[in-house]
């Protein structure tokens, strides 16, 4: 974890569904840790970001102990988990980024989304910066995700979709 010492805050990216609206970099506190994650607190309480209290999380990458630049790092997508979200417009930028990662989404991601990165080595968990530059289809994490997902048909399913399938 030495390379990822706990910073007091971290950056994340907000991606509006309307492609004419700019993406924006925001920050949140790392003080709450996993138990009281400031990002989720902000998203659940923010009607300005259009998400509301129900948030779905999609794993774009998962932490891996494999040595390298992404050791123990993961990227997650946060979107509205409200069932009424189907009336929201598809988020083409998010869908394009997922495609660049080699992921196939069984459903269009609708409405605004947030992308964040975290460090998890099973002993420590903390959020680390995810910047606007990380939203590029040629960003190093995207290329690594694409290589990792090649031939696997990785699904971009949200946690609530997975749970719904299990309960059906």
């Amino acid at each position: 974890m030495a390379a990822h010492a706990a910073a007091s805050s971290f950056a994340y990216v907000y991606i509006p569904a309307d492609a004419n609206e700019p993406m924006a970099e925001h920050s949140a506190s790392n003080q709450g840790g996993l138990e009281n994650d400031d990002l989720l607190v902000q998203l659940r309480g923010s009607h300005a970001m259009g998400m509301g209290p129900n948030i779905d999380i999609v794993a774009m990458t998962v932490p891996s102990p494999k040595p390298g630049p992404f050791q123990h790092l993961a990227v997650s997508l946060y979107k509205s988990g409200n069932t009424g979200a189907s009336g929201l417009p598809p988020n083409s930028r998010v869908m394009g980024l997922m495609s660049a990662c080699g992921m196939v989404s069984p459903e269009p991601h609708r409405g605004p989304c947030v992308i964040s990165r975290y460090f998890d080595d099973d002993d420590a968990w903390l959020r680390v910066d995810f910047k606007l530059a990380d939203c590029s289809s040629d960003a190093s994490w995207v290329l690594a995700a694409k290589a990792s997902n090649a031939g696997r048909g990785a699904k971009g399913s949200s946690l609530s979709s997975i749970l719904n399938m299990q309960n059906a």
Side-chain angles (χ1 to χ4, degrees):
M1 179 162 137
H4 297 285
S8 61
S9 64
F10 62 92
Y12 64 91
V13 174
Y14 171 74
I15 306 174
D18 183 344
N20 293 316
E21 289 183 42
M23 296 187 298
E25 199 172 288
H26 294 271
S27 66
S29 171
N30 246 331
Q31 302 308 309
L34 182 58
E35 293 75 31
N36 193 20
D37 181 26
D38 191 43
L39 176 61
L40 289 177
V41 169
Q42 281 187 27
L43 295 178
R44 286 185 178 122
S46 174
H47 295 289
M49 287 194 186
M51 295 205 189
N54 300 319
I55 305 293
D56 267 347
I57 304 169
V58 177
M60 296 184 78
T61 66
V62 294
S64 170
K66 183 179 176 182
F70 304 108
Q71 184 176 18
H72 302 300
L73 292 174
V75 175
S76 295
L77 168 77
Y78 301 84
K79 64 179 192 152
S80 175
N82 296 329
T83 55
S86 60
L88 295 172
N91 194 320
S92 61
R93 291 180 285 194
V94 165
M95 297 302 293
L97 193 55
M98 290 184 73
S99 178
C101 288
M103 300 176 78
V104 178
S105 182
E107 59 198 35
H109 294 294
R110 297 182 174 277
C113 297
V114 163
I115 301 180
S116 175
R117 178 181 287 130
Y118 65 94
F119 172 91
D120 185 356
D121 68 357
D122 293 330
D123 290 323
W125 183 95
L126 68 127
R127 295 217 182 260
V128 294
D129 286 342
F130 187 89
K131 305 265 190 172
L132 279 169
D134 294 317
C135 288
S136 170
S137 60
D138 63 355
S140 57
W141 77 271
V142 172
L143 299 176
K146 182 176 184 176
S148 174
N149 291 329
R152 294 189 319 133
K155 302 286 187 211
S157 298
S158 66
L159 182 57
S160 66
S161 296
I162 293 168
L163 292 173
N164 286 339
M165 285 187 281
Q166 289 176 340
N167 293 330

